[in-house]
Amino acid sequence: MRANVFAFAFGIFALVVGIAVDIWGFVNQFESLQSAQVVLIGSIILAIGLAFLSIPNRIERYALQAIIAIGLLYYFYIQTNNFWIGLVVTAILVALIEYGLRHR
């Protein structure tokens, strides 16, 4: 039982840190490569937190995945300067995250 409590606490901590890092990335030097890299790190932290929380298929899980998708789209759009490439790469990555969450 202690392992589940630790996983839940770590998941909540990762979500709070991930959201804070994402907000900092968006606010600090908007539309720069440095900002996009910080947002990517925040999105990865959010994905790790989501994996530790074990949220079933509910609105909270999909809302967190939408936040992760926005962060990934922002990063890949700034990196490539092409919206469609960013959208395709983001769709693939979010599908992989969803697959991993369903089959763990």
Side-chain angles (χ1 to χ4, degrees):
M1 193 65 179
R2 287 187 187 266
N4 291 341
V5 172
F6 172 76
F8 182 76
F10 182 76
I12 294 294
F13 175 73
L15 289 182
V16 170
V17 169
I19 290 173
V21 170
D22 269 349
I23 291 172
W24 173 254
F26 277 126
V27 172
N28 188 21
Q29 298 177 357
F30 186 70
E31 289 190 5
S32 70
L33 186 58
Q34 179 184 3
S35 170
Q37 290 171 345
V38 171
V39 170
L40 177 66
I41 291 169
S43 294
I44 291 170
I45 293 171
L46 275 173
I48 291 170
L50 185 60
F52 270 91
L53 277 180
S54 301
I55 297 175
N57 294 334
R58 288 186 284 170
I59 192 74
E60 296 90 4
R61 178 172 158 180
Y62 295 125
L64 286 172
Q65 284 182 346
I67 293 170
I68 292 169
I70 290 170
L72 291 173
L73 181 63
Y74 176 72
Y75 173 75
F76 287 110
Y77 172 70
I78 296 297
Q79 190 74 5
T80 62
N81 203 19
N82 189 336
F83 178 75
W84 295 108
I85 292 174
L87 189 64
V88 168
V89 172
T90 299
I92 291 169
L93 290 175
V94 171
L96 284 173
I97 291 171
E98 176 63 23
Y99 179 80
L101 289 173
R102 283 188 189 222
H103 296 294
R104 70 184 148 77

